[in-house]
Amino acid sequence: MSKVITDEMRALVGTWQGEPYVGGVVHVEDIRKFATAVGDNNPLWLDADYAATTRWRGIIAPPTFVDRFTPFYVLADDNSQGYLGGPLPIDAPFKQGASAGDEYEIHRPVCPGDVITATTDIGDMFEKQGRPGVGRMLFTRYDKTYRNQRNEIVSICRWTRVQFEGPTDGGEEQVDAPQMPNPTDAGQASSTTVRERMWTRRVYFEDISKGFEPLPISMLQTPKRFVRYAQASNDLTPIHYDYRLMRARGMPDVIGQGALSAAYIVSMLSDWYAPDGFLRKIRVQYRYFSFPGDVLTTRGVVTGKRQEGGENLVDFEVWAENQEARKVTIGQAVVSLPSRKA
């Protein structure tokens, strides 16, 4: 079997790609569109009066909001999407591709008025042999650093992209269509009223024990939600809205963004820790596609707690599963909480 990674490609690991990308000024409306596209109505992102009473003294953006400033979502003059409006830094010989995972290391929140600039390094590259119908696979990790107008690091996102060969015998890759859920399964596992009560209470480090589970939320996947999230995050990749393209690739329908499932998980966590806590890290792998009609339910469990670097940190295992209990996204998260002793 021939190797996918050439010496020229491997030499790019550790190198800086392109010029810094200035994503522009953050507006309250940008934050609102992102949060509501996820179905996250936490007042810390939406209600200026409420947010003014918190430690942040105003609205802040959800932790994964920086996705909208990624250099990979820039449109070229011909309306094609690519890295800074051009081709990807790594030109693999495969047309098929998707996100394999994200890791966010969050230093400080994004606020209205911030100007976000992104720089990108190629952090890693490796290849695998996939199952029949997938073939050879190339994984590339891009390390994106987002800074504000004061040159402070806001977040570092390590995004892994997988490109794969696809069917090699002229056949189509077969993917089972999702089983449509019952209408009663399509709501949110935690009602709006319950979530509103959570937003008004304080959570302290001393109150949390190993095995604690935050209240799950459930979200119905629909083409409209995929399009709303694509607009809010600037990810206009056609696999999320072009039905004919996906059918031509042997898929039953368009697929949901992996980052959207990660945002659901963050919404579950922020329901619990906001407004006084802060998400420090979240690392997720995208294991399976989600399709229109799927209901994704987020879950998490505390695996430990520790004090490190002057912070009170709580470790989580987190995941999002569909209505068949298949975990489509899995990962770990770290939340910083205040102490009652402070």
Side-chain angles (χ1 to χ4, degrees):
M1 181 180 67
S2 61
K3 293 291 185 180
V4 178
I5 300 176
T6 65
D7 291 340
E8 291 78 11
M9 292 165 64
R10 195 174 300 281
L12 293 174
V13 175
T15 63
W16 179 42
Q17 299 299 303
E19 296 299 318
Y21 171 61
V22 181
V25 178
V26 175
H27 299 283
V28 171
E29 181 66 6
D30 298 328
I31 296 174
R32 186 195 69 80
K33 285 183 177 179
F34 186 90
T36 54
V38 175
D40 185 350
N41 295 314
N42 194 309
L44 190 56
W45 334 128
L46 303 175
D47 187 332
D49 292 336
Y50 168 87
T53 67
T54 70
R55 61 178 287 199
W56 311 109
R57 301 184 182 277
I59 285 175
I60 63 174
T64 61
F65 173 78
V66 291
D67 274 342
R68 71 176 279 109
F69 300 113
T70 179
F72 294 88
Y73 296 159
V74 178
L75 294 178
D77 292 339
D78 63 357
N79 218 30
S80 62
Q81 180 175 294
Y83 185 77
L84 295 174
L88 287 172
I90 300 296
D91 185 20
F94 310 137
K95 294 182 180 180
Q96 310 269 23
S99 292
D102 282 300
E103 178 181 357
Y104 297 87
E105 179 184 306
I106 304 158
H107 292 246
R108 52 184 49 82
V110 175
C111 304
D114 283 349
V115 177
I116 303 300
T117 299
T119 55
T120 305
D121 294 334
I122 296 179
D124 195 11
M125 191 184 308
F126 59 95
E127 58 187 275
K128 290 184 177 181
Q129 179 64 37
R131 60 179 171 77
V134 174
R136 294 177 297 168
M137 307 169 72
L138 171 66
F139 293 83
T140 309
R141 195 190 80 215
Y142 297 95
D143 298 343
K144 302 173 292 183
T145 301
Y146 299 94
R147 291 179 170 85
N148 62 21
Q149 67 278 12
R150 295 178 291 277
N151 203 36
E152 299 167 330
I153 293 177
V154 172
S155 297
I156 298 173
C157 178
R158 301 173 181 92
W159 171 55
T160 300
R161 172 180 170 84
V162 59
Q163 294 165 278
F164 55 94
E165 193 170 18
T168 57
D169 59 359
E172 293 184 340
E173 179 186 355
Q174 296 300 315
V175 180
D176 293 336
Q179 181 177 351
M180 295 297 288
N182 295 323
T184 55
D185 297 330
Q188 293 185 210
S190 53
S191 69
T192 300
T193 301
V194 172
R195 297 181 80 181
E196 287 176 349
R197 287 201 297 267
M198 294 175 65
W199 300 330
T200 62
R201 64 183 178 82
R202 300 293 190 259
V203 178
Y204 295 96
F205 181 70
E206 291 81 4
D207 300 337
I208 303 304
S209 301
K210 185 176 180 180
F212 168 80
E213 299 180 12
L215 197 65
I217 61 173
S218 294
M219 301 300 297
L220 175 65
Q221 299 288 75
T222 67
K224 180 180 287 187
R225 185 171 295 282
F226 299 163
V227 170
R228 287 188 67 185
Y229 185 78
Q231 293 173 324
S233 66
N234 286 332
D235 178 4
L236 300 177
T237 307
I239 61 176
H240 305 306
Y241 61 82
D242 191 331
Y243 178 77
R244 290 184 177 181
L245 170 70
M246 298 306 284
R247 290 297 296 161
R249 293 184 178 182
M251 301 290 280
D253 209 329
V254 296
I255 61 175
Q257 295 91 340
L260 177 58
S261 67
Y264 293 156
I265 292 172
V266 170
S267 179
M268 171 189 69
L269 293 173
S270 59
D271 275 354
W272 166 73
Y273 71 68
D276 298 322
F278 191 71
L279 181 66
R280 281 298 179 194
K281 292 182 180 180
I282 182 166
R283 179 181 183 181
V284 291
Q285 296 178 11
Y286 306 126
R287 292 294 186 87
Y288 296 97
F289 295 135
S290 67
F291 299 94
D294 280 343
V295 173
L296 296 190
T297 298
T298 64
R299 302 192 186 278
V301 60
V302 171
T303 57
K305 50 189 290 190
R306 55 202 162 91
Q307 293 179 306
E308 183 178 296
E311 287 192 284
N312 306 302
L313 302 178
V314 180
D315 298 316
F316 282 87
E317 290 286 342
V318 292
W319 66 94
E321 61 187 32
N322 65 17
Q323 66 277 3
E324 298 170 353
R326 169 177 278 186
K327 294 181 179 179
V328 300
T329 301
I330 63 171
Q332 302 82 37
V334 180
V335 173
S336 175
L337 288 180
S339 170
R340 289 188 179 275
K341 300 175 183 177

